[in-house]
Amino acid sequence: MASTIKTLPTEVVYLIAAGEVIDSLASVVRELVENSLDAGATRIVVSLWPQLWRVNVADNGSGMSLDDLQQAATAHSTSKINSCEDLERITSLGFRGEALHSLTTLAELEILSRPQGSNLGWRVVYSDRGKADQTELAAIAPGTVVIVSNLFANCPSRRKGLPTQVQQMKAVQAVIQQIALCHPHVTYQIWQNDREWLTISAAVTPGQLLPQILPQLRVGDLKELRLKLSHPRNIDSELLLVVGLPDRCHRHRPDWVKVAINGRMIKSPELEQTIFAAFHKTLPRDRYPICFLHLLISPNQINWNRNPTKTEIYLQEVTYWQEQVAQAIDQALRISEANIKESAHTSRITKLFKASEAGGGYNLGTENSHTNTQPSLKAVAQVNNTYIVAEHVGGMWLVEQHIAHERVLYEQLCDNWQIVPVETPIIVSKLLPAHLLQLERIGLEVEPFGEQLWAVRNIPAMLKQCQDCESAILELSRGGDLQTAQVAIACRSAIRNGTPMTIPEMQKLLNDWQNTHNPHTCPHGRPIYLSLDESALARFFRRSWVIGKSHGI
Ligand code: ADP
Ligand code: MG
């Protein structure tokens, strides 16, 4: 078999960001696991003995022929690219042909490999220049095992500079988790000192895998989207998005906003900013969203040679991608007909119900409801003058009237901020110079009106209906930016809990609320609704126990 690993021509080497990438246990793990993924592995086992500075990575990937195996660790040798043009069509994680070579200079390296479909495996031990020193037959399953030992033995300062073992293992864990989110269809098993330490099982989507990484999450706390995008120069690009629903989960640090491009987690301040902005005023104070974004785009839009570790890239047309991401998050957070019905259609119990109750009193919807434009949430009652009971095809929701209305008003205010004149000025007292400044900053005209009194001649349009305009203005004067003021006005103007509402009023509110961008939470981050899905209700009432007419089914 002809060798496919070749040494890169010098002109290609010049175009590649040079620099040492092997600087820790975690970086060894990253390089080797990436090689396994490039080889198409679906099962990767990493074994670490940190005290011995030893790492093994075994995979069930393509394996290497003997020729390749002997060539694999020489400088700048790779099977993944050949020419300068190839740098614009990188579809693999590796391409510099340097990791194995570096390892031979920083550690002892041996590799066992057997190509898929071949009945012979080989073991090669490399010298410190990457030359194949010893070659012998090895009895192994198809795939590759890379064995790195005595890492950094020849550079004690490097070892000394590294953090504690516990921290290094944390870094290894983070590397594996990031890789797993980008490549969820693979099973990862990490052993430490001959004990199983971390396993991430394969999943179909990153959203299904995420609860293995953040165990407090459930799949229902997340919303996942996969969108095909049609960009003229990016045929077949895709956007994968997993968001934590803001009423279900958030973090106290901004540590779970993650961006990946073409299989690799990267730092992209621009896209991260877009994500944070999309969650603005949906979360409680000082809380941060959970969001994983993965863009799969034409390789010629990306330059991976910004730094040797490939964590920073040059991405073309960032604004275009920012827009797509903002729209996708908007779509993920909305309450759409499709979102509501999703659970109903996957619920076996609901189907069962539908069949047995055909013509009965339950409003479980019919196939026609796919096409009609009737609002999918139907107001049926008010409880304690506070909660709206809303019925829909997949169950029922309790919606808190005040905060649902607050969300509606807040978005109206943001979309349409208007300051309007009032016929009789509103007289306010107790204003300090800072308060006056604040009112001016949000666009109000304030004039002195005598001793410690001021006249306000124009106000935000929404406050016109407000009973107690003076205290509303005082509240606005007490600080914050325009958005804080908008939140305050929305809160003040929204219908109070304790107010009776008629069915049409409730229906109107439900309709308006369903059309907001961020229906899950109010602008302070409080959840707006509690869902009682039909499947959960059926489970609670043990409806699957007895199926018979006598039990009301
Ligand atoms: P790069 O990944 O940039 O090509 P490496 O030094 O990491 O460079 O690997 C050199 C070559 O060795 C790869 O191009 C690949 O052909 C081969 N290789 C490395 N690891 C594996 C593996 N686990 N399975 C199959 N081939 C491998
Ligand atoms: Mg590599």
Side-chain angles (χ1 to χ4, degrees):
M1 200 165 98
S3 168
T4 52
I5 298 184
K6 297 202 178 88
T7 305
L8 288 174
T10 331
E11 71 266 21
V12 183
V13 175
Y14 283 147
L15 289 176
I16 289 176
E20 190 55 75
V21 292
I22 309 274
D23 57 3
S24 59
L25 271 184
S27 61
V28 175
V29 170
R30 188 188 57 224
E31 289 296 329
L32 298 182
V33 170
E34 286 187 354
N35 279 348
S36 298
L37 290 169
D38 280 344
T42 55
R43 186 172 182 82
I44 300 174
V45 182
V46 180
S47 310
L48 294 132
W49 293 267
Q51 290 96 331
L52 302 176
W53 296 90
R54 182 183 162 121
V55 182
N56 285 15
V57 176
D59 68 51
N60 64 349
S62 62
M64 279 177 271
S65 66
L66 179 57
D67 284 349
D68 275 357
L69 197 51
Q70 289 180 319
Q71 170 81 11
T74 53
H76 306 298
S77 11
T78 179
S79 57
K80 299 166 193 174
I81 63 167
N82 258 318
S83 63
C84 297
E85 294 79 63
D86 287 345
L87 286 173
E88 298 212 341
R89 24 178 203 248
I90 291 170
T91 52
S92 51
L93 296 166
F95 60 85
R96 307 186 328 143
E98 269 300 86
L100 295 181
H101 179 71
S102 294
L103 282 171
T104 63
T105 65
L106 298 166
E108 286 154 31
L109 177 74
E110 64 176 83
I111 305 181
L112 292 79
S113 197
R114 172 174 154 195
Q116 295 291 337
S118 156
N119 44 23
L120 280 188
W122 296 93
R123 167 174 178 258
V124 170
V125 181
Y126 302 87
S127 72
D128 73 353
R129 284 282 131 90
K131 200 175 135 293
D133 242 9
Q134 275 177 50
T135 301
E136 63 190 31
L137 274 172
I140 63 159
T144 301
V145 184
V146 179
I147 302 169
V148 175
S149 31
N150 282 326
L151 179 66
F152 305 137
N154 55 1
C155 30
S157 58
R158 181 83 54 102
R159 278 191 184 178
K160 278 209 197 92
L162 286 170
T164 62
Q165 256 180 45
V166 174
Q167 279 169 312
Q168 291 197 58
M169 286 305 288
K170 272 203 166 147
V172 168
Q173 181 183 24
V175 159
I176 295 293
Q177 291 176 339
Q178 295 191 354
I179 290 179
L181 271 179
C182 299
H183 304 269
H185 56 281
V186 175
T187 296
Y188 304 84
Q189 224 180 48
I190 318 300
W191 293 66
Q192 185 184 186
N193 297 327
D194 301 304
R195 289 209 186 139
E196 200 175 332
W197 182 67
L198 167 76
T199 296
I200 300 181
S201 309
V204 178
T205 64
Q208 286 167 15
L209 186 129
L210 192 53
Q212 293 186 60
I213 297 177
L214 292 173
Q216 66 274 32
L217 284 185
R218 294 177 183 194
V219 173
D221 298 337
L222 303 168
K223 171 85 189 159
E224 194 161 14
L225 274 188
R226 185 182 193 115
L227 300 176
K228 291 225 182 289
L229 302 178
S230 52
H231 179 276
R233 279 177 297 288
N234 263 284
I235 313 139
D236 292 340
S237 52
E238 266 188 74
L239 184 158
L240 292 175
L241 181 73
V242 183
V243 295
L245 295 172
D247 52 341
R248 307 275 184 95
C249 52
H250 31 74
R251 310 277 297 171
H252 66 274
R253 279 186 295 138
D255 58 347
W256 261 97
V257 165
K258 302 204 182 281
V259 177
I261 292 193
N262 290 7
R264 181 190 301 279
M265 217 57 105
I266 55 148
K267 286 188 208 127
S268 169
E270 298 96 340
L271 293 174
E272 284 160 23
Q273 237 1 82
T274 305
I275 295 172
F276 283 115
F279 280 88
H280 193 66
K281 296 288 175 208
T282 67
L283 297 172
R285 225 165 119 196
D286 300 329
R287 303 294 296 192
Y288 301 89
I290 292 175
C291 178
F292 170 63
L293 166 73
H294 194 172
L295 294 177
L296 297 159
I297 72 185
S298 300
N300 64 3
Q301 297 283 296
I302 309 166
N303 183 346
W304 289 107
N305 286 301
R306 186 163 175 171
N307 74 1
T309 55
K310 306 170 192 149
T311 47
E312 285 163 59
I313 59 163
Y314 295 106
L315 174 65
Q316 290 184 23
E317 302 190 54
V318 180
T319 338
Y320 168 81
W321 298 111
Q322 285 180 310
E323 280 162 19
Q324 303 307 312
V325 170
Q327 278 174 27
I329 297 178
D330 188 279
Q331 187 178 333
L333 294 185
R334 272 171 184 258
I335 293 180
S336 67
E337 203 92 342
N339 286 0
I340 292 179
K341 281 179 184 157
E342 231 162 50
S343 61
H345 285 290
T346 51
S347 157
R348 189 179 60 84
I349 303 290
T350 314
K351 278 188 198 139
L352 204 138
F353 240 62
K354 229 160 152 178
S356 53
E357 276 295 327
Y362 288 96
N363 179 15
L364 285 170
T366 60
E367 290 309 309
N368 291 343
S369 61
H370 276 296
T371 46
N372 72 24
T373 50
Q374 288 291 305
S376 43
L377 283 177
K378 184 177 156 204
V380 290
Q382 189 189 28
V383 178
N384 281 351
N385 292 336
T386 301
Y387 306 104
I388 302 170
V389 181
E391 177 189 68
H392 66 83
V393 100
M396 68 168 160
W397 288 359
L398 284 183
V399 179
E400 208 215 78
Q401 64 193 40
H402 170 71
I403 47 177
H405 196 205
E406 191 179 327
R407 166 53 70 189
V408 171
L409 295 182
Y410 172 68
E411 292 197 4
Q412 282 174 3
L413 279 174
C414 293
D415 291 348
N416 188 15
W417 176 246
Q418 270 184 359
I419 304 283
V420 293
V422 276
E423 281 150 31
T424 14
I426 294 151
I427 310 301
V428 283
S429 57
K430 303 191 212 103
L431 288 181
L432 297 174
H435 301 147
L436 285 168
L437 223 89
Q438 161 69 7
L439 290 178
E440 273 165 30
R441 197 165 44 218
I442 58 175
L444 305 198
E445 278 169 36
V446 188
E447 287 167 10
F449 195 73
E451 187 76 358
Q452 290 300 308
L453 288 179
W454 289 267
V456 180
R457 300 199 180 276
N458 57 9
I459 59 169
M462 202 163 273
L463 285 186
K464 272 198 137 173
Q465 279 97 45
C466 185
Q467 309 282 326
D468 186 2
C469 232
E470 186 191 338
S471 31
I473 289 169
L474 280 179
E475 192 178 323
L476 290 184
S477 73
R478 294 306 188 253
D481 53 8
L482 180 60
Q483 266 167 346
T484 316
Q486 288 167 336
V487 172
I489 294 171
C491 183
R492 206 162 244 292
S493 321
I495 185 163
R496 297 278 161 93
N497 287 333
T499 316
M501 291 179 84
T502 63
I503 294 277
E505 281 167 353
M506 289 190 283
Q507 188 62 55
K508 163 96 175 51
L509 175 53
L510 287 181
N511 296 353
D512 291 347
W513 167 65
Q514 267 191 95
N515 287 326
T516 57
H517 292 278
N518 289 303
H520 292 276
T521 49
C522 78
H524 304 100
R526 287 167 56 205
I528 293 178
Y529 70 101
L530 172 70
S531 76
L532 292 168
D533 288 341
E534 190 51 52
S535 51
L537 292 173
R539 210 166 36 242
F540 178 80
F541 291 111
R542 312 275 196 272
R543 206 170 278 141
S544 54
W545 278 14
V546 187
I547 298 180
K549 280 206 160 43
S550 59
H551 290 81
I553 295 186

